[in-house]
Amino acid sequence: KVIGVRDQRLTATLVSIMIGCSVLLAPILKLVPFAVLFGVFLYMGVSGMNGVQFFDRLTLCFMPVKHHPNVSYVKKVKTWRMVLFTVFQGLGLVTLWVVKSTPAALAFPFFVVAMIPYRIFLKFIFTACELDALDGAQAGKDYEETAGELDFYETANDCPITPATQMPLHRSLMGLVNIPAMMGGKGKS
């Protein structure tokens, strides 16, 4: 839970100074091989994919259901509906990629804005509960199913033991204690 934010300008100033120094170090940075730079950026890209819900759901498409994590979009949405939503998200991503890679790239911002009606269109395919679990504010959070599950001892206290009950548990156990007396042996009567 966020309690507060303390704004300070020192970090932004240092970041700007370091970026300025990297411009001054351009002749030295030219000595770094492109393969090293590509490797660093590839590593940063792959490590940045960890925790992105789209990629998590993409891996869940190829994973057995018994190995799925305990998160909201797994517990509240059927697997095939989750896969369908992931396919729709992938189609949107492919559309943006194609537009970016073609001469229509000038219209890219319009296609980004077109993702808003695309998302609104998904309300006709998925329920509000499913959409909330798939990409709502709490999507991807650990899912605790405590709302409908009562404690065993709390529910046991709610079960009355009255004389009208055919065979109350405590009386049946007391009957086991009295079995020797019923059989003619010593015991409580």
Side-chain angles (χ1 to χ4, degrees), residues 8 10 27 40 85 87 114 117 123 132 151 154 156 158 186:
Q8 48 104 1
L10 181 63
V40 168
F85 184 81
V87 167
K123 289 182 181 179
D132 186 50
D151 184 49
E154 290 176 11
D158 292 339
K186 294 182 179 179

Side-chain angles (χ1 to χ4, degrees), residues 36-50:
V36 172
L37 290 177
F38 287 146
V40 168
F41 289 126
L42 178 66
Y43 173 75
M44 288 172 53
V46 170
S47 64
M49 285 180 358
N50 188 19

Side-chain angles (χ1 to χ4, degrees), residues 74-141:
V74 171
K75 296 297 180 183
K76 292 183 178 180
V77 181
K78 293 180 181 175
T79 304
W80 73 272
R81 303 278 289 170
M82 179 184 66
V83 171
L84 183 65
F85 184 81
T86 306
V87 167
F88 279 125
Q89 265 193 324
L91 288 174
L93 183 65
V94 166
T95 302
L96 292 175
W97 189 275
V98 168
V99 168
K100 179 198 78 71
S101 303
T102 61
L106 289 173
F108 183 75
F110 297 110
F111 280 90
V112 171
V113 172
M115 291 294 122
I116 297 170
Y118 182 69
R119 168 59 174 80
I120 292 171
F121 168 73
L122 292 178
K123 289 182 181 179
F124 298 110
I125 300 172
F126 299 96
T127 65
C129 181
E130 288 175 331
L131 285 176
D132 186 50
L134 287 164
D135 75 340
Q138 298 296 321
K141 303 286 184 192

Side-chain angles (χ1 to χ4, degrees), residues 17 167 173 187:
I17 290 171
M167 185 92 162
L173 291 177

